[in-house]
């Protein structure tokens, strides 16, 4: 059974975009199924980290969504862990729409009074 996953990568900001794309292609080939859609990749770019990670103050963020079998994830995660260019990553199950935050404004009942 395939599930939809989302992965956030933080790459070393010293890497060029071509090197990052080469790594992404290698990682995604491990989870790609024949006939399935290619992962949706969104480059967020270079950002300042909240705290230093492996002595780096900045990182290059990439978010990807993909469908995969759960059995493919261990090899996928192992390949990412072995890559020195990846500072951090997180894979989560994408379970549909995210909840909408409730605003702290006035409610409709308060407006009527």
């Amino acid at each position: 059974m395939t599930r939809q996953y989302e992965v956030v990568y933080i790459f070393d900001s010293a890497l060029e975009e071509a090197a990052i794309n080469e790594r992404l292609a290698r990682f995604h080939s491990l989870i790609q199924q024949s006939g399935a859609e290619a992962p949706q990749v969104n480059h967020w770019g270079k950002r300042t980290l909240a705290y230093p990670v492996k002595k780096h103050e900045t990182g290059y963020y990439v978010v990807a969504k993909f469908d995969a079998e759960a059995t493919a994830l261990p090899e996928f995660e192992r390949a990412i862990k072995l890559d020195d260019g990846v500072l951090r990553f997180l894979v989560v199950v994408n379970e549909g729409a995210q909840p909408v935050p409730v605003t702290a404004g006035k409610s409709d009942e308060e407006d009527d009074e």
Side-chain angles (χ1 to χ4, degrees):
M1 180 177 115
T2 61
R3 296 181 80 175
Q4 187 173 42
Y5 295 94
E6 182 174 290
V7 58
V8 177
Y9 305 94
I10 304 175
F11 289 97
D12 182 352
S13 61
L15 292 173
E16 303 216 1
E17 192 162 331
I20 291 171
N21 286 331
E22 182 272 325
R23 284 174 163 85
L24 289 172
R26 187 164 34 93
F27 297 152
H28 293 162
S29 69
L30 297 171
I31 53 170
Q32 190 85 26
Q33 301 169 3
S34 61
E37 287 184 33
Q40 299 172 352
V41 179
N42 187 1
H43 290 256
W44 288 6
K46 187 176 176 181
R47 295 178 180 232
T48 303
L49 301 173
Y51 54 87
V53 176
K54 297 181 182 175
K55 299 182 181 180
H56 294 272
E57 299 287 333
T58 59
Y60 189 93
Y61 283 71
V62 178
V63 177
K65 292 181 181 178
F66 58 91
D67 293 328
E69 296 281 341
T71 56
L73 290 180
E75 181 62 25
F76 172 69
E77 291 178 329
R78 183 175 114 21
I80 297 171
K81 286 178 188 173
L82 292 175
D83 194 305
D84 291 336
V86 179
L87 301 178
R88 289 274 200 271
F89 75 98
L90 180 65
V91 180
V92 295
V93 175
N94 188 0
E95 295 182 334
Q98 299 297 315
V100 177
V102 178
T103 58
K106 292 182 178 180
S107 67
D108 291 341
E109 294 176 5
E110 292 174 345
D111 289 342
D112 294 340
E113 293 177 13

